Amino acid sequence: MTMNEAALALVAEQAIGLIDLTRLDEDDTEQQIRELCQQAITPVGSVAAICVYPRFIDTVAKELGRLNLGQQVAIATVVNFPHGEHSVEQVEQDITAAIAAGAHEIDLVLPYRQLMAGNTDTALTMVKAAKAICIKGSACLKVIIESGELGHVSLIRQASELAIAGGADFVKTSTGKVAINATLAASEVILTSIRDSQKDVGFKAAGGVRTTAEAQQYLQLAKQIMGPNWVTPAHFRFGASSLLAQLLNSLS
């Protein structure tokens, strides 16, 4: 094993425990979701969470229970997904139902199009409402700002600050459903916003992180901005579907 291969193997071992293993296709089946859950445990430990549409929360709960992973792997789901166009009332209902069904983590799409049109009030109101329900249900709130659609540094910064002000536990780059998803440039803006807020908020890079070398770049960026001890599942996640296989390949 070369020095580079050894370095990537260390990255892979760390990154596996930071993955929200994700399947969010409209035509997903229960069997596919069960198979996803079966990938959650690896030779170097489990992923952080399984992220699926709300209708599969119960399927994930049962399969993780069957695999004795119920205490190790969180169940995450998406709300206001993927376009961020639902009402605050609908979002409140959907989060309440998801937590009741067994979700531990809520990935909420910020109404980013309204933000781009100059409406900051709806975004802040929605995040605050979502946070209130998550607090009652002891759930983690990740706010997806859709950084690739926002585009400009100023908008990415503004969206991050609104998410943090509203009570987000994590700020997440993307849905994975648009042309531009996670980028290092946008991630730097988000991480800097988190650092400058001085609040205990995490970061999730989602969409487009597919190789161990790419994962390494995001981990290095986070450590550079937030410090070497900050990168743990409590503060850093990868939202990914194909990354896990590449990380496992780096360990072989």
Side-chain angles (χ1 to χ4, degrees), residues 21-39 50-52 55-56 59-60 63:
L21 192 58
T22 302
R23 190 169 183 110
L24 292 168
D25 295 323
E26 291 291 345
D27 58 354
D28 286 340
T29 66
E30 288 197 2
Q31 181 57 31
Q32 289 171 325
I33 299 303
R34 285 192 288 268
E35 290 171 359
L36 185 75
C37 294
Q38 290 160 20
Q39 298 174 40
I50 300 286
C51 185
V52 296
R55 67 181 183 273
F56 293 118
T59 302
V60 172
E63 188 64 15

Side-chain angles (χ1 to χ4, degrees), residues 102-163:
H104 309 116
E105 302 182 353
I106 303 295
D107 288 30
L108 166 74
V109 180
L110 192 81
Y112 61 91
R113 288 179 173 143
Q114 292 196 43
L115 176 61
M116 293 169 72
N119 178 1
T120 60
D121 291 344
T122 299
L124 185 58
T125 298
M126 183 176 289
V127 177
K128 285 183 173 179
K131 178 63 174 182
I133 298 170
C134 286
I135 289 173
K136 290 179 183 177
S138 300
C140 172
L141 177 63
K142 309 191 200 93
V143 177
I144 306 168
I145 65 170
E146 203 68 286
S147 56
E149 293 293 282
L150 295 175
H152 297 288
V153 168
S154 59
L155 276 174
I156 295 170
R157 175 89 184 192
Q158 184 179 30
S160 301
E161 290 174 346
L162 284 168

Side-chain angles (χ1 to χ4, degrees), residues 61-79:
K62 289 177 179 176
E63 188 64 15
L64 290 179
R66 189 185 71 81
L67 296 167
N68 294 318
L69 293 174
Q71 301 301 313
Q72 299 179 49
V73 180
I75 302 172
T77 195
V78 290
V79 174

